[in-house]
């Protein structure tokens, strides 16, 4: 049994007991606000349904965390403000074990991003093939493990810190309890941490590789086709002066095109900055998960590495970590809300900074929290989103990354069209001044136009391929703006 003698002073006991209350209330409020925002935008996206489950879990966990110092058994507890009994202690133990559901939902959120971005899975497919089994398995595992501890009366006050969890009994000694702790809490935590980190690394690597691959393929295709075109025109140079004029015009135009490609490549650092912002948004959910549970991990690891598992005598040394745990465990709902509204907040701030008398940062934050449309479009937020958004027209989706690739393809196509028109004008002028060579000039002119048209068409097809490859990156950009790719063209 745990000694009922506290090694902490009364002021430390008071701080430890009342510190979690304010963070818990803030987190409950933030989770309710997040559920409101999710409801306003609709639950058609699996991402929003996962965030809804996280919000409900956070409300339950925040209430449990705020009551840990009060619901321990009054007769045996060393906590100064304990007013509970064995039944309330068992509730705390059941609640702490059931809260591992949040581990799994953070891992599920990262897995959803991975399937959408890297493997191109659509929301209907994810909803039909994965999501039902995901929710059932997560809820079933957390409920069953928590209930097993309750059924076998394994919950008692923890030797270090506040609250109740698994403790040795007559039927399950210390070695048995350590194995049960590993199955109920340790293994799920380690597995979920690994999944969250690995999934986010794969997402970031895939998006970065998509941009590099698109630029590289565009360069290679243009370099090959332009080389073939120059060789073809050089072979026809001696046939007529109009062909030479067409070759000169083509060289001038291809020089412009090469300059454009070089400019596009030189602009790649800006694209990489976009990828970095996407990676930051994706990793923020990972960071919330790690920061929330890191203090519990420190306490558990230190106690397990102490002879006989440690006892209340360790509390003065671990007191700072106990206070940090009391602060951060209940705050998970607040971090989830801030991560969710962050893209719209940044878009709104960019818009306000462009004004002569823009609103303050605090006012912008208040707007994105209370107004689901703030920062999404010009209708209410008045800001162009940093990543992706849906416009008021159904079926119209604007993504800055996608539009960059589209503009690149459109510009190249315009260069091809300009070159074709220029070659045509040069050939026409030459044919008018030298009518005796009209036939040869027309033949070479037709060959030149054919080569240029082929080049333009091939690059247009390559642009389409690049846009297709970039669409998966756009999915992540839109997810960062809290808009599922299944909701494009819908302002729900």
């Amino acid at each position: 049994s745990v000694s009922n003698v506290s090694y902490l002073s009364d002021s430390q006991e008071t701080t430890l007991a009342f510190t979690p209350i304010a963070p818990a209330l803030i987190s409950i409020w933030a989770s309710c606000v997040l559920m409101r925002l999710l409801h306003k935008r609709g639950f058609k996206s699996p991402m929003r349904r996962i965030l809804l489950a996280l919000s409900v879990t956070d409300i339950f966990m925040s209430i449990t965390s705020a009551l840990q110092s009060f619901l321990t058994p009054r007769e045996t507890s060393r906590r100064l403000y304990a007013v509970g009994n064995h039944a309330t202690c068992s509730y705390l133990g059941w609640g702490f074990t059931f809260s591992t559901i949040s581990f799994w939902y953070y891992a599920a959120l990262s897995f959803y991003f991975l399937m959408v971005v890297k493997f191109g899975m659509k929301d209907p497919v994810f909803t039909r093939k994965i999501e039902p089994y995901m929710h059932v398995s997560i809820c079933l595992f957390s409920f069953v493990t928590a209930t097993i501890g309750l059924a076998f009366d394994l919950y008692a006050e923890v030797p270090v810190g506040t609250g109740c969890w698994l403790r040795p009994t007559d039927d399950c000694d210390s070695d048995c309890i350590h194995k049960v702790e590993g199955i109920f809490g340790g293994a799920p935590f380690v597995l979920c941490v690994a999944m969250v980190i690995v999934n986010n690394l794969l997402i970031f690597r895939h998006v970065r590789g998509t941009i590099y691959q698109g630029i590289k393929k565009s360069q290679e295709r243009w370099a090959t086709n332009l080389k073939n075109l120059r060789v073809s025109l050089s072979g026809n140079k001696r046939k007529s002066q109009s062909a030479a004029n067409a070759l000169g015009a083509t060289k001038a135009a291809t020089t412009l095109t090469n300059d454009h490609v070089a400019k596009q490549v030189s602009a790649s650092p800006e694209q990489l900055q976009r990828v970095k912002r996407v990676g930051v948004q994706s990793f923020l959910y990972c960071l919330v998960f790690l920061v929330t549970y890191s203090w519990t991990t420190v306490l558990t690891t230190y106690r397990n590495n102490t002879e006989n598992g440690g006892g209340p005598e360790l509390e003065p040394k671990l007191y700072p970590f106990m206070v940090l745990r009391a602060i951060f465990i209940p705050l998970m709902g607040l971090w989830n809300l801030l991560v969710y509204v962050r893209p719209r907040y940044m878009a709104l701030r960019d818009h306000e900074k462009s004004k002569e008398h823009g609103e303050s940062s605090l006012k912008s934050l208040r707007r994105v929290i209370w107004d689901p449309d703030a920062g999404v479009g010009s209708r209410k937020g008045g800001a162009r989103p940093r990543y992706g958004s849906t416009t008021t027209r159904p079926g119209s989706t604007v993504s800055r990354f996608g539009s960059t690739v589209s503009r690149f393809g459109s510009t190249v196509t315009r260069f091809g069209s300009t070159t074709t028109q220029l070659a045509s004008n040069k050939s026409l002028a030459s044919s008018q001044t030298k009518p005796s060579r009209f036939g040869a000039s027309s033949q070479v002119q037709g060959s030149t136009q054919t080569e240029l048209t082929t080049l333009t068409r091939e690059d247009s097809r390559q642009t389409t391929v690049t846009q297709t490859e970039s669409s998966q990156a756009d999915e992540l950009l839109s997810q960062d703006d809290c808009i599922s790719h299944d909701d494009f063209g819908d302002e729900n």
Side-chain angles (χ1 to χ4, degrees):
S1 61
V2 180
S3 173
N4 60 357
V5 177
S6 177
Y7 288 81
L8 301 176
S9 64
D10 289 349
S11 61
Q12 288 177 320
E13 286 284 352
T14 302
T15 301
L16 196 61
F18 291 96
T19 293
I21 296 178
L25 293 175
I26 294 173
S27 186
I28 292 172
W29 166 82
S31 295
C32 292
V33 172
L34 179 55
M35 288 191 293
R36 172 183 170 272
L37 292 175
L38 293 171
H39 174 71
K40 291 289 186 180
R41 303 193 69 85
F43 296 109
K44 293 187 295 184
S45 167
M47 181 192 73
R48 296 174 190 167
R49 291 191 288 269
I50 294 174
L51 287 176
L52 175 65
L54 273 174
S55 299
V56 174
T57 303
D58 172 70
I59 293 176
F60 172 79
M61 194 169 66
S62 297
I63 296 174
T64 303
S65 300
L67 298 176
Q68 282 187 343
S69 293
F70 303 98
L71 297 186
T72 50
R74 181 177 182 180
E75 292 79 9
T76 60
S77 178
R78 64 190 180 279
R79 300 279 76 95
L80 182 62
Y81 297 94
V83 295
N85 51 37
H86 181 70
T88 58
C89 185
S90 296
Y91 159 75
L92 289 177
W94 187 91
F96 185 80
T97 306
F98 184 75
S99 66
T100 57
I101 192 173
S102 62
F103 302 170
W104 296 109
Y105 272 118
Y106 273 112
L109 185 63
S110 66
F111 178 73
Y112 168 73
F113 274 92
L114 180 68
M115 297 303 292
V116 169
V117 176
K118 184 173 177 61
F119 299 102
M121 182 174 288
K122 300 300 182 181
D123 277 358
V125 178
F126 187 90
T127 300
R128 184 176 67 257
K129 293 186 176 182
I130 297 179
E131 189 178 6
Y133 306 102
M134 178 187 71
H135 287 295
V136 170
S137 59
I138 289 176
C139 295
L140 192 62
F141 177 85
S142 301
F143 180 80
V144 168
T145 53
T147 305
I148 288 175
L150 188 65
F152 288 91
D153 197 22
L154 298 178
Y155 297 128
E157 186 175 5
V158 295
V160 179
T162 59
C164 301
W165 203 40
L166 300 170
R167 297 297 302 148
T169 63
D170 295 337
D171 297 329
C172 188
D173 58 11
S174 298
D175 293 336
C176 174
I177 283 296
H178 285 315
K179 293 178 181 179
V180 175
E181 286 178 347
I183 297 173
F184 286 14
F189 178 76
V190 173
L191 179 61
C192 291
V193 168
M195 287 179 61
V196 168
I197 294 176
V198 171
N199 289 343
N200 280 278
L201 287 174
L202 290 175
I203 290 171
F204 182 78
R205 183 174 179 271
H206 176 76
V207 175
R208 184 183 62 178
T210 299
I211 290 181
Y212 276 126
Q213 188 178 13
I215 295 176
K216 183 178 179 180
K217 284 188 176 181
S218 181
Q219 282 184 287
E220 291 176 351
R221 178 62 63 94
W222 268 100
T224 301
N225 290 336
L226 289 175
K227 181 179 179 180
N228 294 337
L229 178 60
R230 286 170 176 170
V231 171
S232 176
L233 291 176
S234 297
N236 295 329
K237 181 177 180 180
R238 297 178 180 179
K239 292 183 179 181
S240 66
Q241 184 62 32
S242 59
N245 294 336
L247 177 61
T250 303
K251 287 184 177 180
T254 54
T255 300
L256 292 175
T257 304
N258 289 335
D259 290 343
H260 176 75
V261 173
K263 183 178 180 181
Q264 183 71 17
V265 175
S266 65
S268 59
E270 180 183 353
Q271 294 176 327
L272 293 180
Q273 287 299 319
R274 286 198 199 113
V275 175
K276 183 178 179 180
R277 290 195 294 268
V278 171
V280 168
Q281 176 69 10
S282 180
F283 274 109
L284 281 177
Y285 283 111
C286 174
L287 184 63
V288 169
F289 174 58
L290 296 178
V291 170
T292 299
Y293 293 103
S294 59
W295 316 111
T296 302
T297 304
V298 171
L299 291 173
T300 304
T301 303
Y302 190 90
R303 183 172 63 84
N304 290 339
N305 291 332
T306 305
E307 186 178 359
N308 298 324
E313 67 277 2
L314 294 176
E315 289 188 343
K317 184 183 297 185
L318 297 176
Y319 180 74
F321 295 101
M322 294 166 60
V323 174
L324 290 173
R325 177 182 180 273
I327 294 174
F328 282 93
I329 285 288
L331 278 179
M332 186 177 70
L334 177 62
W335 308 137
N336 288 334
L337 174 64
L338 294 178
V339 173
Y340 182 85
V341 301
R342 171 183 169 270
R344 292 190 294 118
Y345 170 78
M346 295 178 67
L348 188 59
R349 290 306 303 158
D350 287 347
H351 177 72
E352 292 299 325
K353 288 178 182 178
S354 64
K355 297 181 180 179
E356 184 177 356
H357 300 288
E359 64 185 14
S360 63
S361 300
L362 185 60
K363 187 174 180 180
S364 297
L365 180 61
R366 185 167 63 248
R367 286 180 62 193
V368 297
I369 288 177
W370 294 111
D371 184 2
D373 295 313
V376 173
S378 58
R379 183 164 58 90
K380 289 185 179 181
R384 180 178 179 177
R386 180 182 292 273
Y387 301 132
S389 69
T390 54
T391 62
T392 55
R393 289 184 178 180
S396 176
T397 305
V398 180
S399 174
R400 292 183 63 185
F401 175 76
S403 62
T404 299
V405 177
S406 178
R407 287 196 300 270
F408 171 58
S410 300
T411 305
V412 171
T413 303
R414 286 197 299 271
F415 275 126
S417 301
T418 303
T419 305
T420 305
Q421 183 64 37
L422 183 59
S424 177
N425 293 339
K426 288 284 186 177
S427 299
L428 180 60
S430 177
S431 63
Q432 290 175 349
T433 55
K434 298 183 179 182
S436 62
R437 299 183 179 181
F438 178 78
S441 300
S442 300
Q443 182 179 1
V444 176
Q445 175 188 344
S447 175
T448 301
Q449 291 184 9
T450 301
E451 294 285 351
L452 290 172
T453 303
T454 301
L455 175 60
T456 302
R457 289 177 179 175
E458 289 181 353
D459 187 74
S460 298
R461 287 195 296 268
Q462 178 61 28
T463 301
T464 303
V465 173
T466 304
Q467 288 177 301
T468 302
E469 293 169 345
S470 304
S471 62
Q472 294 174 337
D474 293 339
E475 305 292 358
L476 182 56
L477 298 177
S478 63
Q479 296 290 356
D480 288 342
D481 205 15
C482 311
I483 301 172
S484 172
H485 64 280
D486 194 38
D487 294 330
F488 284 169
D490 186 357
E491 285 193 305
N492 290 339

